[in-house]
Every structure is written in structure tokens, then in C-alpha cells.
């Protein structure tokens, strides 16, 4: 039976006590509405760490004024049951007041990265992400923290933040988990109607098109982007936000993928914004 903690100081004490016993603490930060993608992170943490902490906190500071904070899916009892089955040791379940005490005015901003990809479309989003993750790291004090590759821009920003601020935590990035038809798992998939669910597959199809062209020897970013946009245009109900090919660490645009690259897409299916990506390492490129 896992322990549920809502107090920050109590969470810190719990982690420190485990570490005094020589236990490696693994941490999976989530906003709840858990799915198999989250569970893959939990399993990775379980495999690498003696004690696993999962946080469930829908962070208001990473939502814009017109975004879906109020309707973001919340299913604590369901999430708790899933985590119990995975053998999670502790759920950190703080309130907004616990995480953002009255009068809090301090932010963590990773300049130069936070305005790119999703940060361009969602101003202030990554300031909210980096602030809450830094707070969670300070509270949980994990030895290792586990994130999904689906949130590739977030991964780049958190890695940079950890380096710049000397956080003593290993960042472990786990592969994207997909539905059987290729759709990247996301809590926001719950918003999709059956018709939209089918339309959403155009995101993974566009990445598959890039993969196919790369396997045929294409390395030009602009030609790969053009080909991907043609695929997305075949689904008129889907509105493209961006399709970009960037350096996975700096999120800067690249002209060629010959040295490796992150191929990232975001699009609106109805009012639901979805993201997906493929990572090419230098060794993947012929």
C-alpha cells in the first residue's frame, strides 16, 4: 500500500529517511489522468530505484488564460489504483496552496529555450513547467527523475535547468508509448471524439513519412518538413501549429539531420492540441 503525502515538508522528510537507509529515490512527476505512457515511466523508475515517488499535481502556472486548466482530466482514485498495482511507494498529492503559497513571486525561466516549439505557441507555459519541476525537485529530492520523450521540448528545458542550477538529480528520458494504431498516448486524447481520434493519426503519419524519407537518404530539413506538411494537409480538419526539425538540446532549427535532430509536430484536432515527435541520432542517419 503506497503512502499519500500532501505536505511538502513531510514529503522531503520521507525521501531523506529513505536515502539515509541507502535507498535510491526515483521520481515521476505527473498531472494525473494516468495512462500507459506514465506507467512506462513508473516501471523504469521501479527498475532503477529502491523507492518510487509519483506526484499528481495539475499545475495552474503552465496553462494559458484560454487553455484547458479547468477541464483538464482529474481522476485521482483511478490514478491511485493504477499506481498501487505498479507498486509505487508514495504519491505526492499537494494542493495549489501547498505548491504556491500566498505571495509567491519567484519564477524559474530557462531563457533561450522556453520560447521555442510549444513555448512559442503557449507563452509562459515553460516558465510554469520549469518553476513547478524545480519546486518538486526541491521537495522530493530524488536521485533520478523520469520523463517521457513525447514532451521533447520540456525534456530539453529541464535538462538545461538541472545543469544550470546544479540540481543533484539524474534525468532519465523514456521512449514515447503509442496506441496500437500509432497515436502517441496523451491525457488529452480523452477529449477526442471517435472521428477526431481517427483524424489525430495524421500526426504520427507525418512523422512516419519523414522516417521513410530519411531511410531513403533524404537529409534536408526543409524537404522533410514540406513532405510532412503535405501529409497533414490531407486531413483538413486538423490545424497545424508547427512542424519543425531542431537540435534536440538547444531546440534551434537545423538545415540538415545528418548530425541527428528532433522532428517535432503540434496540431489542433478540434480544440485539442496534440504533440508528437521522432528523435534521430547521428547514427540513425545514413
Amino acid at each position: 500500500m503506497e503512502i499519500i503525502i500532501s505536505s511538502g515538508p513531510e514529503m522531503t522528510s520521507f525521501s531523506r529517511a529513505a536515502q539515509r537507509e541507502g535507498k535510491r529515490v526515483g521520481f515521476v512527476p505527473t498531472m494525473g489522468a494516468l495512462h500507459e505512457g506514465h506507467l512506462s515511466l513508473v516501471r523504469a523508475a521501479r527498475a532503477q530505484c529502491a523507492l518510487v515517488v509519483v506526484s499528481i499535481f495539475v499545475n495552474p502556472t503552465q496553462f494559458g488564460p484560454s487553455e484547458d486548466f479547468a477541464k483538464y482530466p482529474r481522476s485521482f482514485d483511478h490514478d491511485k489504483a493504477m499506481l498501487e498495482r505498479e507498486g509505487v511507494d508514495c504519491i505526492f498529492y499537494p494542493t495549489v496552496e501547498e505548491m504556491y503559497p500566498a505571495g509567491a513571486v519567484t519564477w524559474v525561466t530557462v531563457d533561450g529555450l522556453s520560447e521555442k516549439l510549444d513555448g512559442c505557441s503557449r507563452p509562459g507555459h515553460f516558465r510554469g513547467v520549469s518553476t513547478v519541476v524545480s519546486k518538486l525537485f526541491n521537495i522530493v529530492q530524488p536521485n533520478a527523475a523520469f520523463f517521457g520523450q513525447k514532451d521533447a521540448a520540456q525534456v530539453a528545458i529541464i535538462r538545461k535547468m538541472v545543469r544550470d542550477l546544479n540540481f543533484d538529480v539524474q534525468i532519465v528520458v523514456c521512449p514515447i508509448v503509442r496506441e496500437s494504431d500509432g497515436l502517441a498516448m496523451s491525457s488529452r486524447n480523452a477529449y477526442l471524439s471517435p472521428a477526431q481520434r481517427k483524424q489525430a493519426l495524421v500526426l504520427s503519419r507525418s512523422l512516419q513519412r519523414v522516417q521513410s524519407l530519411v531511410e531513403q537518404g533524404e537529409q534536408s530539413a526543409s524537404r522533410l518538413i514540406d513532405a510532412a506538411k503535405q501529409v497533414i494537409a490531407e486531413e483538413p480538419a486538423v490545424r497545424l501549429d508547427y512542424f519543425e526539425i531542431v537540435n534536440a538540446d538547444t531546440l534551434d532549427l537545423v538545415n540538415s539531420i545528418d548530425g541527428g535532430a528532433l522532428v517535432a509536430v503540434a496540431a489542433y484536432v478540434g480544440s485539442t492540441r496534440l504533440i508528437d515527435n521522432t528523435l534521430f541520432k547521428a547514427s540513425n542517419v545514413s
Side-chain angles (χ1 to χ4, degrees):
M1 180 68 182
E2 79 277 343
I3 295 168
I4 299 171
I5 296 176
S6 57
S7 153
E10 191 181 333
M11 182 69 251
T12 305
S13 296
F14 182 83
S15 283
R16 284 178 174 166
Q19 287 162 340
R20 279 196 299 272
E21 295 172 8
K23 292 180 179 175
R24 178 173 161 84
V25 175
F27 176 46
V28 182
T30 82
M31 294 208 301
L34 303 183
H35 51 68
E36 194 63 29
H38 297 109
L39 297 186
S40 73
L41 305 181
V42 170
R43 289 167 194 147
R46 177 87 281 159
Q48 298 182 36
C49 302
L51 187 136
V52 177
V53 177
V54 175
S55 64
I56 296 178
F57 179 65
V58 183
N59 176 36
T61 66
Q62 67 190 67
F63 289 81
S66 61
E67 293 184 334
D68 57 353
F69 174 71
K71 69 168 188 169
Y72 194 86
R74 293 162 170 86
S75 52
F76 181 75
D77 290 341
H78 179 255
D79 294 343
K80 176 177 174 290
M82 292 174 76
L83 295 175
E84 203 166 71
R85 285 194 294 272
E86 296 296 329
V88 165
D89 299 284
C90 175
I91 298 173
F92 181 47
Y93 186 48
T95 61
V96 172
E97 293 72 26
E98 181 72 21
M99 292 301 294
Y100 296 102
V105 295
T106 304
W107 297 94
V108 176
T109 305
V110 182
D111 286 336
L113 274 75
S114 296
E115 306 78 27
K116 295 172 183 172
L117 295 184
D118 305 287
C120 181
S121 312
R122 305 176 67 189
H125 168 67
F126 283 129
R127 182 180 79 156
V129 170
S130 50
T131 299
V132 79
V133 171
S134 68
K135 290 170 75 71
L136 288 167
F137 284 174
N138 283 331
I139 292 166
V140 178
Q141 301 199 355
N143 301 99
F146 296 76
F147 294 87
Q149 172 61 34
K150 185 174 77 73
D151 298 303
Q154 173 179 282
V155 163
I157 286 164
I158 289 168
R159 278 179 162 159
K160 179 67 171 160
M161 180 188 81
V162 164
R163 284 195 298 270
D164 288 357
L165 298 184
N166 304 98
F167 278 104
D168 186 17
V169 57
Q170 177 192 6
I171 301 301
V172 181
V173 183
C174 302
I176 295 174
V177 177
R178 299 183 180 279
E179 305 282 2
S180 58
D181 57 9
L183 183 67
M185 288 193 176
S186 168
S187 300
R188 287 187 168 89
N189 291 349
Y191 300 152
L192 303 174
S193 69
Q196 290 171 335
R197 173 73 179 64
K198 193 173 179 183
Q199 292 161 359
L201 294 175
V202 76
L203 275 76
S204 56
R205 281 206 307 276
S206 68
L207 295 172
Q208 288 163 7
R209 177 70 176 137
V210 168
Q211 177 83 45
S212 172
L213 289 170
V214 170
E215 287 170 359
Q216 294 169 39
E218 183 59 74
Q219 295 188 0
S220 161
S222 62
R223 285 195 289 270
L224 293 169
I225 289 168
D226 287 346
K229 286 182 175 178
Q230 287 172 16
V231 173
I232 291 167
E234 294 166 6
E235 194 61 76
V238 172
R239 179 166 60 89
L240 182 65
D241 181 358
Y242 65 74
F243 196 104
E244 292 188 3
I245 299 181
V246 299
N247 177 289
D249 295 320
T250 65
L251 306 182
D252 290 332
L253 296 172
V254 297
N255 294 321
S256 169
I257 66 160
D258 60 351
L262 172 71
V263 182
V265 59
Y268 290 89
V269 184
S271 61
T272 303
R273 186 176 179 279
L274 300 176
I275 60 174
D276 201 348
N277 66 79
T278 297
L279 190 61
F280 290 98
K281 296 182 178 173
S283 58
N284 298 149
V285 182
S286 56

